[in-house]
Amino acid sequence: MERGKMAEAESLETAAEHERILREIESTDTACIGPTLRSVYDGEEHGRFMEKLETRIRNHDREIEKMCNFHYQGFVDSITELLKVRGEAQKLKAQQQRNLDNIVLQQPRIGSKRKSKKDAYIIFDTEIESTSPKSEQDSGILDVEDEEDDEEVPGAQDLVDFSPVYRCLHIYSVLGARETFENYYRKQRRKQARLVLQPPSNMHETLDGYRKYFNQIVGFFVVEDHILHTTQGLVNRAYIDELWEMALSKTIAALRTHSSYCSDPNLVLDLKNLIVLFADTLQVYGFPVNQLFDMLLEIRDQYSETLLKKWAGIFRNILDSDNYSPIPVTSEEMYKKVVGQFPFQDIELEKQPFPKKFPFSEFVPKVYNQIKEFIYACLKFSEDLHLSSTEVDDMIRKSTNLLLTRTLSNSLQNVIKRKNIGLTELVQIIINTTHLEKSCKYLEEFITNITNVLPETVHTTKLYGTTTFKDARHAAEEEIYTNLNQKIDQFLQLADYDWMTGDLGNKASDYLVDLIAFLRSTFAVFTHLPGKVAQTACMSACKHLATSLMQLLLEAEVRQLTLGALQQFNLDVRECEQFARSGPVPGFQEDTLQLAFIDLRQLLDLFIQWDWSTYLADYGQPNCKYLRVNPVTALTLLEKMKDTSRKNNMFAQFRKNERDKQKLIDTVAKQLRGLISSHHS
């Protein structure tokens, strides 16, 4: 038994020695393994050791095979990736344009909130294949989210699979060709940038066209920013800045071109909001965007022009649809509604019982409120442009001045110059513009309340509304004078004098009676006009009537006339003088209006009274009776009576025979010629 124990001890000792030798063989360099092998062959258990060595070799073979099997697929994948690099490069290039076309369709969003880089996001499907879900119904990068929404939004790394770029970069780096891949990547991205920056030809037609364009650009630079921060040197800041500088110039040029086609102010305003979101989003990523905001100031001028065109149509519709009659009100509710729309206060009108009328027509409150709407529209564009309140105030005032001095002024002038406009309409326009002029101070206050910039501030632009409405009123006044004269001319065309009549009439001509009646009714409408306007219109009408009657009497076509015809003409002039004395318009002193007919009166008195001796004797004296009778005028009329003197029985009062009468006319004519000759000399 002791022998068995000794044999077992020797066996364990031998096994331990064999294990030591095996470990030494495994860990010893091949050149130093000789002594170890010699100890094996010198030992008594050589055969036993060889069995253990075979077993150990088989175990190592199994481990090696297992390890090779485990790493084989990775090895194959690496070799395959390496072999595919050249082919993939060609695929990347071909896939670029296809990916650009799918940009908008493949947006859950990389960029609406603008408070932090985490919140500024946009999806942009580059040549890298993305495994992220994408919604085709998403409206895009520049859709504003609720600022109170605290939900985490995915970043670029969550939406785009960047691993192919990382793997390619790693493979090239292992192969010692990193610089080759960097140059290739940057070259291809520059090409893609140019494609991204090429706007569609119809981009200006819809807001979606602009949105898609911005999505592409933001997506491109968000991806590049991510590559910049997740790789070491694949791109650098200088490269990205160079791309952005190119992108900025091309984007601004494209926006200038396409926005110039836009005539809808709402689209221009939406475009401005898109540009602001575009700029703010990229600014979060560290890109300089000052040039975009400078360009927005250019678009602001275009926006103002589109607004002016829109409001030209609005004003035209208001003026075309107005009835040019005072606004009637039948209740306190209606009265308050009008004064709520337009700043008007008249204590006397307030005291009057219903029904009553405002002095102005509907277009006054409508125009006033549309001016305010225009100011609101101007204010909308200034939002988010990082402008000071003074700059906003200045912008609004300048645009409003253009509205007043150009758009509204032209609209009023067009109405005033219409061929078919009547005196009633012209009178109402004068009244309306007077009230609009008074309302300008309230428009000043309205702008001040919006911008909080006091009108007394240095360099504050003043509104030119007062000038606009004054000019319109003066134009309407001139048109009234012209219109009145035209009406007078129309009546005078009905005059049908029998210049050869021998009968003495006893009443004014019918056409003149109708003319005077027209003037009386017309001036009755002038009650609400400023006093000087009514007086000027009345004086102008009387002067034009007097001048026209004088021309009628002296016109060359009237070759002959009798004293009877002159008597009828005198009755018509007396009718005019009676109208002037009746005070058709208040405010004239004594016989001021009658002076319009003084030339006619003195000429007719001279001929009807045949008072040549007085005329010739006093001619040239400052207080002569016929001071207003020009000798040329007197001679012209005398020549018309000369040939008819034989048929005129009235001359019998002055001379006994026809020869003496003719001689008298010749004598007077000779003396008149002498006066004329001496006067000219």
Side-chain angles (χ1 to χ4, degrees), residues 401-680:
N401 275 334
L402 284 175
L403 179 77
L404 294 171
T405 61
R406 195 172 78 187
T407 307
L408 180 54
S409 178
N410 288 344
S411 298
L412 290 170
Q413 294 291 343
N414 289 336
V415 172
I416 292 168
K417 297 297 182 181
R418 283 178 186 165
K419 290 183 178 179
N420 60 343
I421 192 162
L423 286 167
T424 303
E425 288 88 344
L426 290 169
V427 169
Q428 191 62 59
I429 288 174
I430 291 175
I431 295 170
N432 288 354
T433 51
T434 300
H435 286 283
L436 283 171
E437 180 186 344
K438 294 177 180 177
S439 73
C440 286
K441 63 179 181 179
Y442 298 103
L443 291 175
E444 290 270 9
E445 292 176 4
F446 179 70
I447 295 176
T448 298
N449 291 335
I450 289 177
T451 63
N452 293 320
V453 177
L454 297 176
E456 297 80 18
T457 305
V458 180
H459 303 309
T460 298
T461 304
K462 302 300 181 183
L463 289 185
Y464 300 143
T466 300
T467 303
T468 296
F469 298 125
K470 276 185 178 179
D471 291 345
R473 185 166 67 253
H474 291 157
E477 291 169 5
E478 292 297 327
E479 199 63 27
I480 283 180
Y481 309 149
T482 302
N483 193 303
L484 269 175
N485 292 346
Q486 290 173 347
K487 291 289 185 181
I488 290 171
D489 291 341
Q490 291 174 7
F491 279 102
L492 288 171
Q493 288 175 3
L494 301 175
D496 185 22
Y497 287 103
D498 179 5
W499 297 111
M500 301 302 294
T501 184
D503 299 331
L504 297 178
N506 57 9
K507 65 174 184 176
S509 303
D510 292 340
Y511 88 89
L512 195 83
V513 172
D514 293 339
L515 170 56
I516 297 300
F518 162 76
L519 291 176
R520 289 187 187 281
S521 63
T522 297
F523 292 128
V525 181
F526 285 18
T527 51
H528 293 293
L529 281 178
K532 290 184 178 180
V533 177
Q535 292 168 18
T536 303
C538 190
M539 177 60 79
S540 172
C542 289
K543 284 184 175 180
H544 182 73
L545 176 56
T547 301
S548 299
L549 287 173
M550 182 70 80
Q551 291 174 349
L552 193 64
L553 186 64
L554 300 177
E555 65 181 7
E557 293 181 3
V558 181
R559 298 180 180 277
Q560 300 176 6
L561 58 79
T562 63
L563 194 57
L566 211 57
Q567 289 282 12
Q568 179 60 51
F569 196 82
N570 184 54
L571 289 175
D572 291 345
V573 173
R574 288 190 181 282
E575 186 74 13
C576 295
E577 291 171 324
Q578 174 58 34
F579 166 74
R581 281 194 299 272
S582 67
V585 169
F588 284 110
Q589 295 181 352
E590 299 179 354
D591 296 335
T592 302
L593 198 56
Q594 283 182 260
L595 294 176
F597 301 97
I598 189 65
D599 290 10
L600 274 173
R601 171 48 48 217
Q602 291 187 8
L603 180 65
L604 290 173
D605 285 351
L606 173 61
F607 274 81
I608 292 174
Q609 297 175 16
W610 207 248
D611 195 10
W612 293 106
S613 58
T614 302
Y615 176 77
L616 293 170
D618 294 344
Y619 181 78
Q621 300 298 320
N623 297 320
C624 64
K625 182 178 180 181
Y626 303 102
L627 180 65
R628 306 289 301 179
V629 178
N630 187 293
V632 175
T633 303
L635 180 61
T636 301
L637 188 58
L638 188 64
E639 292 288 352
K640 293 178 184 292
M641 300 185 67
K642 180 178 179 181
D643 295 334
T644 60
S645 59
R646 298 187 185 90
K647 303 177 182 178
N648 194 334
N649 294 329
M650 293 297 297
F651 282 102
Q653 305 174 46
F654 304 104
R655 295 291 184 269
K656 294 181 179 178
N657 55 62
E658 295 298 327
R659 187 181 62 184
D660 291 339
K661 296 172 187 174
Q662 183 64 42
K663 185 177 179 181
L664 177 58
I665 292 175
D666 290 340
T667 301
V668 172
K670 184 178 180 181
Q671 290 177 308
L672 288 174
R673 291 189 188 96
L675 287 177
I676 295 171
S677 178
S678 62
H679 178 72
H680 284 295

Side-chain angles (χ1 to χ4, degrees), residues 19-32:
E19 185 64 30
R20 183 190 66 76
I21 293 171
L22 286 173
R23 287 199 299 270
E24 191 172 338
I25 291 172
E26 288 173 340
S27 61
T28 302
D29 189 90
T30 305
C32 303

Side-chain angles (χ1 to χ4, degrees), residues 198-214:
Q198 183 64 41
S201 59
N202 62 341
M203 182 172 75
H204 57 274
E205 294 178 359
T206 64
L207 191 64
D208 285 339
Y210 289 107
R211 183 180 288 115
K212 179 179 179 182
Y213 182 62
F214 290 137

